[in-house]
Amino acid sequence: MKAIALTEFGDAEVMSLQELPDPLLGPDQVLVEVRAAGVNPVDTKIRAGYLRGLMPHHTPLIPGWDVAGVVRAVGIGVQAWKPGDEVLAYARKDHVQFGAYGELISLPDRLVARKPSTVDFVTAAALPLAGLTALQSLKAIGAGSGDVVLVHAAAGGVGHLQVQIARVLGASRVIGTASPRNHDFVRSLGAEPVAYGDALVDAVAELVGGDGLVDAVADNAGGLAFDQSLRLVRDRARMTSIVDGPRALENGVVNTWARPDAEQTRWLVDLVADGRLRVEVQQTFPLEEAVKAHKLLEGGHVRGKVVLTV
Ligand SMILES: NC(=O)c1ccc[n+]([C@@H]2O[C@H](COP(=O)([O-])OP(=O)(O)OC[C@H]3O[C@@H](n4cnc5c(N)ncnc54)[C@H](OP(=O)(O)O)[C@@H]3O)[C@@H](O)[C@H]2O)c1
């Protein structure tokens, strides 16, 4: 099969289109024809070699943890799926090697969720990792009913889904940080936009009124946003960070690392099918232009998601 792969770690140019053997199919796995693969910041970090201390990596390495496609074959132990089924998955495995940037991927059937026919493959591929991260980090701090929630990087892949999911979970108000050019977009998602930067603490305090504090914070940006959030949240146990694990642990903040979960993926994609969750895809690229997709994402200002089509 054709796939984007790398044999050494580095900048985007280490990736190239290669002819590689088709993935092998284990007894509890499904073999999926990839129609679209979501691009996530973690793919760029893996490509750069930054995650080698966290998980075993093997080359040639095909990046990509988000997939939407069609089941081609199933392993001997698989009953839930059959060839022709349309599926999506957060396809993170224990070893980093055979990802979604290729024509085929094999993955454990427990990771896979059914794709509703009304949700297209590009939208489906943009959803799992970012949607699960958004949902699991909100759940980790019990964000929901009646809460005023602050979401950082609200125009990004995780954030734009998280502001909407927070409302679905019952948050009374969601405040989202973004640059001014994204404020109308953030407003259209049901959140109150504020500009990030030095003036953020005062801006949020003024917006919420009263004691100027919020009930829950999802830090998807780190750095200054993390420090400011410590000053804005009423109770640090109700703040989570997906970017700064060590500092989260030092400060009594909840560190979230998203886990694959087929049931939650199904819940998310059903929200999309029902029109209650909007997935914004800024741009798609054909698989062979994965280098361009990584460069765009590494610019740090994508609105919503970037997706590769196969
Ligand atoms: N722990 C986990 O399980 C997990 C899971 C997913 C992602 N992550 C990490 O979380 C981070 C966010 O992921 P993502 O997919 O949402 O990234 P992304 O889509 O690339 O984020 C881009 C967004 O970030 C915004 N932004 C840039 N600088 C900002 C700042 N200083 N303050 C607030 N917003 C800012 C941009 O908004 P403007 O254009 O308006 O500036 C842009 O919309 C990444 O570092 C990623 O690796 C961790």
Side-chain angles (χ1 to χ4, degrees):
M1 68 161 180
K2 287 193 171 48
I4 293 290
L6 54 96
T7 49
E8 60 187 66
F9 299 93
D11 61 17
E13 268 86 13
V14 298
M15 299 188 295
S16 63
L17 191 67
Q18 300 183 17
E19 188 64 40
L20 292 170
D22 287 356
L24 300 173
L25 181 62
D28 301 318
Q29 291 191 318
V30 293
L31 181 67
V32 175
E33 293 173 7
V34 180
R35 295 286 193 267
V39 180
N40 289 286
V42 72
D43 303 347
T44 68
K45 293 172 186 176
I46 285 171
R47 187 212 70 220
Y50 297 155
L51 265 63
R52 280 179 288 177
L54 289 181
M55 308 172 65
H57 288 44
H58 312 276
T59 57
L61 186 156
I62 303 170
W65 282 359
D66 264 339
V67 62
V70 180
V71 174
R72 178 186 282 187
V74 301
I76 183 115
V78 174
Q79 308 225 325
W81 304 102
K82 61 180 188 316
D85 287 343
E86 297 186 350
V87 296
L88 71 160
Y90 173 23
R92 170 162 74 69
K93 306 169 197 172
D94 289 335
H95 289 238
V96 182
Q97 184 169 26
F98 299 120
Y101 291 11
E103 291 175 321
L104 294 166
I105 183 174
S106 60
L107 65 163
D109 72 331
R110 68 186 158 77
L111 306 187
V112 170
R114 176 193 56 79
K115 183 186 78 63
S117 60
T118 52
V119 177
D120 61 74
F121 286 107
V122 166
T123 302
L127 178 67
L129 190 159
L132 289 169
T133 306
L135 175 63
Q136 291 172 11
S137 53
L138 289 171
K139 282 181 172 284
I141 53 171
S145 193
D147 285 331
V148 177
V149 182
L150 174 63
V151 172
H152 289 278
V158 173
H160 89 289
L161 300 171
Q162 195 162 42
V163 297
Q164 300 173 78
I165 294 167
R167 294 306 295 269
V168 171
L169 296 177
S172 62
R173 293 175 70 185
V174 181
I175 298 166
T177 72
S179 57
R181 70 178 183 90
N182 277 321
H183 282 194
D184 285 345
F185 171 61
V186 168
R187 207 174 279 116
S188 76
L189 303 172
E192 300 165 57
V194 285
Y196 55 82
D198 292 337
L200 182 73
V201 173
D202 290 341
V204 172
E206 192 180 326
L207 204 56
V208 297
D211 64 4
L213 301 177
V214 299
D215 299 309
V217 178
D219 169 30
N220 307 318
L224 178 62
F226 184 97
D227 295 322
Q228 292 169 323
S229 299
L230 293 178
R231 294 165 57 193
L232 282 165
V233 73
R234 194 164 282 124
D235 170 5
R236 288 182 180 188
R238 302 203 67 205
M239 168 173 162
T240 183
S241 180
I242 62 168
V243 283
D244 209 335
R247 290 200 64 212
L249 294 174
E250 278 165 26
N251 287 281
V253 165
V254 180
N255 173 41
T256 303
W257 216 61
R259 301 188 63 179
D261 186 309
E263 203 174 310
Q264 290 179 338
T265 305
R266 173 80 184 268
W267 183 81
L268 289 163
V269 78
D270 283 347
L271 282 183
V272 177
D274 292 346
R276 297 173 69 203
L277 180 62
R278 169 175 149 205
V279 181
E280 176 81 5
V281 176
Q282 175 178 313
Q283 198 168 341
T284 62
F285 293 88
L287 178 66
E288 48 273 29
E289 293 184 8
V291 171
K292 284 188 191 165
H294 273 214
K295 286 181 173 172
L296 174 63
L297 196 63
E298 287 179 300
H301 295 284
V302 165
R303 178 184 290 178
K305 299 287 302 178
V306 172
V307 174
L308 300 175
T309 55
V310 182

